[in-house]
Amino acid sequence: MSYSTFNKNQINPLKEPMFFGNSVNVARYDQQKHSVFEKLIEKQISFFWRPEEVDVSRDRVDFQALTESEKHIFISNLKYQTLLDSVQGRSPNIALLPIVSIPELETWIETWSFFETIHSRSYTHILRNLFTDPSEVFEDIVINEEIQKRANDISKYYDDLIFYTQLWQTHGEGEWEVDGAKHIVNMRELKKKLFLCINSVNALEAVRFYVSFACTFAFAERDLMEGNSKIIRLIARDENLHLVSTQQIINLWQYGQDDPEMKEIAEELREEALQIFMNAVEQEKQWAHYLFRNGSMIGLNEEMLCQYVEYIANMRMEAIGFDAPFKQRSNPLPWMNKYLVSDNVQVAPQEAEITSYLVGQIDSEVSASDLGDFEL
Amino acid sequence: MSQVFKVKVNGQHELTVDASQGNTLLEALEQAGLEPHYHCRNGFCGACRVQLTAGDVTYINDPLAFIRPGDCLACCCVPASDIEINQ
Ligand code: FES
Ligand SMILES: [Fe+2]
Ligand SMILES: [Fe+2]
């Protein structure tokens, strides 16, 4: 079943499943099968921001004053986030666009991926400010073992789905040999791969950023690296939206509100989906361990971070119908919340600053004497 | 019709909420000192999800998070009757 960029058949997108139906032809949003995706697009676009609008110049001074272990924490987290957004800036497009069947979801996927590219660009913005030449940091992302361990788990479900979709679109269903390996391609297998892939992405958006977010906001609590923290607040807001979209897809399947075969598959692969989530949680805890191996930072240690991961994981797992597996029911880092509040709602000014003054240049209060010791 | 409803939390605490005041269920829980979970406070993250075991709520903002049967999102709803919730 080869892909066409403009399906000539007359199709009724209101009757199509989210994936593996007829490919989309007219990009129309006047009628929607699952209107939530159109609302997500609107919301995401209303969050538009540019990294360059956030002044990070003061962070350079702060960074120089961090201890070696704190620098390790800060830079390692940026590397990990760079990996995550590198994957997310392309993979939803490559894996999901060839198989999506309703226009509002197709456009959501593109919008979602586009925002991940803003995140990627923001890491360059942050790093360029900290280092005259940030190459070493970027180059380490494909060498660093701790990052590699995670990269593999994050990309493998996408890669598998992409590979099987390509086989299906070029050869159709059947048994195909590629480089000496046999592959059975049929619709059921494709849908299973899709299900696992979405669960893996869901786990990524749900928990994989939060160790890093917690460290960033712990620095901000000490009035350090505030430019970075402002950027991460904007990223965190976007990630919450991405997460809601994968939760929507999973729930629509589970409740039989979309493709009935996906409902069966959701039941059949429930344990595997659970395992994907639990593995992601475990990897995040190991990441916390790696971050703090040279020493902690004020206000945060490995144990608190792991408790926070469990707290977040409980919430995220309940949202897709799993029982909360961890006993951490209260928020061990209550100060995190003020950084995660969306500004569309007015909160008490003492609780959270308002992001509108993030976008639009902030006066950086760095004087020449502050920078006197540094080579620019 | 009176907009004042009783909210029973985890089968123990009971509070009274005046739905006409424009306060969300989340705010009412906070005012009662119950430390409910939240992130976005804007209906798009699902962090404020609580189980709604009895009664009904009305959404004052259109939530984007999926609401599983038997749940409600405290940050964007008000009670529409006496309710019981678990958090
Ligand atoms: S706090 Fe985010 S949905 Fe209610
Ligand atoms: Fe991202
Ligand atoms: Fe994301």
Side-chain angles (χ1 to χ4, degrees):
Chain A
M1 230 205 107
S2 66
Y3 178 78
S4 168
T5 47
F6 193 82
N7 188 342
K8 305 273 188 324
N9 301 326
Q10 276 198 337
I11 44 174
N12 179 356
L14 297 179
K15 297 222 162 72
E16 292 294 321
M18 290 187 282
F19 298 99
F20 287 121
N22 283 293
S23 56
V24 184
N25 50 26
V26 180
R28 60 182 289 187
Y29 317 97
D30 58 319
Q31 48 168 30
Q32 296 136 19
K33 178 169 185 194
H34 296 302
S35 59
V36 68
F37 296 112
E38 170 66 9
K39 292 180 192 145
L40 283 164
I41 297 165
E42 264 174 40
K43 192 76 158 182
Q44 180 70 91
I45 293 174
S46 79
F47 288 170
F48 183 77
W49 57 283
R50 292 190 307 132
E52 297 76 13
E53 285 176 289
V54 182
D55 184 352
V56 291
S57 58
R58 287 185 63 189
D59 289 12
R60 189 172 178 125
V61 182
D62 291 346
F63 185 72
Q64 302 300 336
L66 297 183
T67 65
E68 282 312 307
S69 62
E70 287 174 336
K71 282 183 184 163
H72 165 73
I73 293 168
F74 186 86
I75 293 299
S76 300
N77 278 328
L78 270 184
K79 287 178 190 167
Y80 186 25
Q81 283 195 232
T82 304
L83 164 76
L84 293 173
D85 280 297
S86 301
V87 173
Q88 285 300 91
R90 64 177 74 99
S91 314
N93 284 344
I94 300 174
L96 304 176
L97 290 182
I99 57 174
V100 70
S101 305
I102 56 175
E104 64 274 23
L105 180 54
E106 180 184 54
T107 304
W108 163 250
I109 291 163
E110 295 180 286
T111 308
W112 168 19
S113 249
F114 169 61
F115 272 77
E116 307 287 22
T117 67
I118 297 181
H119 303 171
S120 295
R121 290 183 57 260
S122 76
Y123 305 135
T124 296
H125 180 58
I126 292 166
L127 285 167
R128 257 196 204 136
N129 170 64
L130 297 181
F131 302 100
T132 315
D133 177 11
S135 300
E136 203 188 308
V137 177
F138 287 121
E139 281 158 15
D140 187 54
I141 295 171
V142 281
I143 304 168
N144 184 308
E145 265 181 43
E146 292 300 320
I147 307 234
Q148 282 314 297
K149 276 188 213 160
R150 285 154 186 83
N152 186 42
D153 254 41
I154 289 162
S155 57
K156 73 178 180 200
Y157 294 100
Y158 271 130
D159 293 352
D160 203 35
L161 174 62
I162 292 167
F163 181 67
Y164 274 75
T165 302
Q166 287 173 342
L167 278 182
W168 173 63
Q169 289 186 332
T170 46
H171 301 283
E173 297 194 15
E175 212 179 299
W176 312 114
E177 198 177 308
V178 181
D179 297 331
K182 274 212 166 50
H183 302 278
I184 298 166
V185 180
N186 58 51
M187 194 36 74
R188 185 83 177 186
E189 279 308 305
L190 286 162
K191 286 184 178 177
K192 282 187 184 176
K193 291 185 191 300
L194 168 66
F195 180 76
L196 295 177
C197 179
I198 295 291
N199 274 276
S200 157
V201 186
N202 180 69
L204 181 158
E205 300 279 4
V207 295
R208 287 195 187 269
F209 289 95
Y210 282 82
V211 166
S212 180
F213 289 169
C215 294
T216 296
F217 299 142
F219 282 121
E221 285 286 284
R222 291 158 59 200
D223 299 327
L224 294 173
M225 311 304 288
E226 288 182 299
N228 174 75
S229 148
K230 283 168 183 169
I231 286 183
I232 302 295
R233 277 189 69 185
L234 294 164
I235 291 178
R237 184 175 67 170
D238 293 340
E239 300 307 352
N240 257 331
L241 212 53
H242 306 165
L243 172 65
V244 159
S245 78
T246 53
Q247 288 175 345
Q248 283 282 355
I249 294 171
I250 292 171
N251 278 300
L252 288 169
W253 283 336
Q254 283 181 3
Y255 283 98
Q257 293 172 27
D258 194 70
D259 180 352
E261 193 174 12
M262 289 309 291
K263 182 175 191 236
E264 287 171 27
I265 289 171
E267 282 157 22
E268 188 183 325
L269 298 184
R270 190 180 161 85
E271 273 311 300
E272 236 172 297
L274 178 65
Q275 212 42 58
I276 287 174
F277 211 107
M278 294 302 277
N279 289 346
V281 171
E282 195 42 49
Q283 284 186 349
E284 290 317 288
K285 291 182 182 171
Q286 285 165 10
W287 181 251
H289 180 72
Y290 167 71
L291 288 179
F292 290 128
R293 65 175 189 180
N294 303 329
S296 305
M297 56 186 284
I298 297 171
L300 212 51
N301 59 39
E302 184 184 335
E303 197 190 338
M304 290 157 85
L305 261 185
C306 290
Q307 286 169 350
Y308 191 70
V309 171
E310 293 190 350
Y311 164 73
I312 289 281
N314 275 343
M315 273 199 269
R316 306 319 203 192
M317 292 179 77
E318 283 180 326
I320 53 169
F322 291 122
D323 295 329
F326 304 107
K327 55 179 189 305
Q328 186 68 39
R329 295 311 303 223
S330 63
N331 184 354
L333 307 176
W335 43 265
M336 281 289 284
N337 282 4
K338 70 180 176 213
Y339 298 95
L340 298 170
V341 172
S342 156
D343 301 312
N344 294 356
V345 176
Q346 202 59 46
V347 291
Q350 70 274 15
E351 277 177 35
E353 55 183 310
I354 296 160
T355 325
S356 51
Y357 38 94
L358 302 182
V359 176
Q361 282 288 3
I362 303 137
D363 246 359
S364 63
E365 294 155 31
V366 184
S367 68
S369 61
D370 285 324
L371 291 168
D373 295 338
F374 303 110
E375 289 172 31
L376 294 173
Chain B
M1 204 181 86
S2 165
Q3 296 273 81
V4 181
F5 301 113
K6 286 197 180 71
V7 178
K8 194 162 196 177
V9 185
N10 297 339
Q12 351 169 346
H13 311 275
E14 192 161 286
L15 40 138
T16 317
V17 178
D18 185 348
S20 65
Q21 292 297 301
N23 279 356
T24 62
L25 178 58
L26 184 78
E27 287 162 342
L29 295 172
E30 283 174 333
Q31 279 154 18
L34 290 171
E35 299 187 3
H37 303 311
Y38 68 88
H39 286 167
C40 72
R41 303 181 77 93
N42 193 221
F44 66 81
C45 77
C48 62
R49 192 181 315 272
V50 293
Q51 279 181 317
L52 181 65
T53 51
D56 291 307
V57 296
T58 313
Y59 285 93
I60 50 176
N61 289 314
D62 203 8
L64 295 182
F66 192 94
I67 301 171
R68 297 173 64 89
D71 285 350
C72 74
L73 293 178
C75 77
C76 43
C77 74
V78 293
S81 68
D82 289 347
I83 61 172
E84 290 179 29
I85 57 174
N86 288 324
Q87 61 152 3

